[in-house]
Amino acid sequence: MEQLLDLTLRLLVALLLGGAIGIEREFRSKDAGFRTHFLVSLGSALFCIVSQYGFGEEVKDASRVAAQVVSGIGFLGAGTIIFQKNVIRGLTTAAGLWVTAAIGLACGTGMYAAAATATVMVLFGLEALNALLPQLGTMTVQLSFTAHTKGSVKRVVDRLRHENMEMHSYELKECKTPQGEVFEVSIEMKVKRGVHNEQIMDCLSDFDNVTLSSVE
């Protein structure tokens, strides 16, 4: 009974710590959220427990099963990385799953202090530093708008570049509507953190024949 309570505690702590990281990712609207992270942490802890107690005392190398978690989590992490329009997405999510697996392994061996400390550090790095140092680094913004002339499109692009916004991809589609010819533009660009969507909207509001579709 005492061993059962100990193993249950290990799994429960793994669930809570992995879930804490998942909640932060869920708050950031990431694809890998609460459920993914707590499952990774819980599964890693269970693998670790199985490697220690599941094959009998005659098995001397109890780290074999746990070691496979380290390499196996790479396949799950790779699935979250997307290369689209010359921009790589999902690296932070993949790294988060990797460290969540490590936290689960730590819980599976009963190293609660190390697991809790790592969880606090992860949350601090993901959330606190992002709030304390908003001006450092860059972020990707997807901008879509429509214009009635190519000249207007060029002036908008020149204005965005003047505001030191780095363009990564640019797509222009010509559409015919009952009101006449319209150009649909989709731009993916990198901007400094702290440059809010309102600033981008203000740039486009200076052009009468340009209509903003979305800023993400």
Side-chain angles (χ1 to χ4, degrees), residues 22-121:
I23 289 174
E24 191 279 337
R25 296 283 82 193
E26 196 88 41
F27 177 74
R28 292 290 176 185
S29 300
K30 302 300 180 181
D31 292 331
F34 171 76
R35 291 181 296 180
T36 303
H37 282 79
F38 97 73
L39 286 173
V40 167
S41 182
L42 182 62
S44 299
L46 183 58
F47 273 122
C48 192
I49 291 172
V50 169
S51 70
Q52 294 176 65
Y53 304 103
F55 302 103
E57 296 181 358
E58 67 277 3
V59 179
K60 301 299 181 184
D61 189 1
S63 65
R64 287 186 178 181
V65 175
Q68 299 307 309
V69 175
V70 178
S71 57
I73 195 65
F75 291 97
L76 184 60
T80 67
I81 300 174
I82 301 173
F83 182 76
Q84 184 180 33
K85 296 181 179 180
N86 298 320
V87 177
I88 298 176
R89 300 178 182 274
L91 285 175
T92 301
T93 299
L97 291 173
W98 181 66
V99 75
T100 301
I103 290 170
L105 288 175
C107 292
T109 58
M111 301 173 64
Y112 304 125
T117 301
T119 302
V120 171
M121 288 180 174

Side-chain angles (χ1 to χ4, degrees), residues 197-211:
N197 293 344
E198 290 78 6
Q199 293 177 256
I200 299 174
M201 294 167 63
D202 288 340
C203 288
L204 268 67
S205 65
D206 294 338
F207 302 91
D208 295 332
N209 57 351
V210 173
T211 303

Side-chain angles (χ1 to χ4, degrees), residues 95-213:
L97 291 173
W98 181 66
V99 75
T100 301
I103 290 170
L105 288 175
C107 292
T109 58
M111 301 173 64
Y112 304 125
T117 301
T119 302
V120 171
M121 288 180 174
V122 169
L123 294 175
F124 181 78
L126 289 174
E127 192 65 29
L129 287 180
N130 188 54
L132 293 173
L133 305 173
Q135 302 300 325
L136 296 182
T138 59
M139 58 184 296
T140 302
V141 172
Q142 183 77 39
L143 171 66
S144 300
F145 65 90
T146 59
H148 292 286
T149 65
K150 285 186 177 180
S152 297
V153 174
K154 184 179 183 304
R155 286 193 293 272
V156 170
V157 172
D158 290 341
R159 173 66 181 274
L160 293 174
R161 284 175 175 163
H162 180 73
E163 298 290 334
N164 296 319
M165 299 182 189
E166 181 182 353
M167 308 264 175
H168 273 267
S169 68
Y170 174 90
E171 185 178 353
L172 176 66
K173 290 182 180 179
E174 183 178 347
C175 303
K176 294 189 181 297
T177 66
Q179 289 75 30
E181 195 175 54
V182 173
F183 297 93
E184 295 182 353
V185 182
S186 179
I187 300 175
E188 196 164 67
M189 55 190 179
K190 283 212 168 185
V191 301
K192 288 184 178 180
R193 292 190 182 277
V195 175
H196 302 290
N197 293 344
E198 290 78 6
Q199 293 177 256
I200 299 174
M201 294 167 63
D202 288 340
C203 288
L204 268 67
S205 65
D206 294 338
F207 302 91
D208 295 332
N209 57 351
V210 173
T211 303
L212 178 66
S213 300

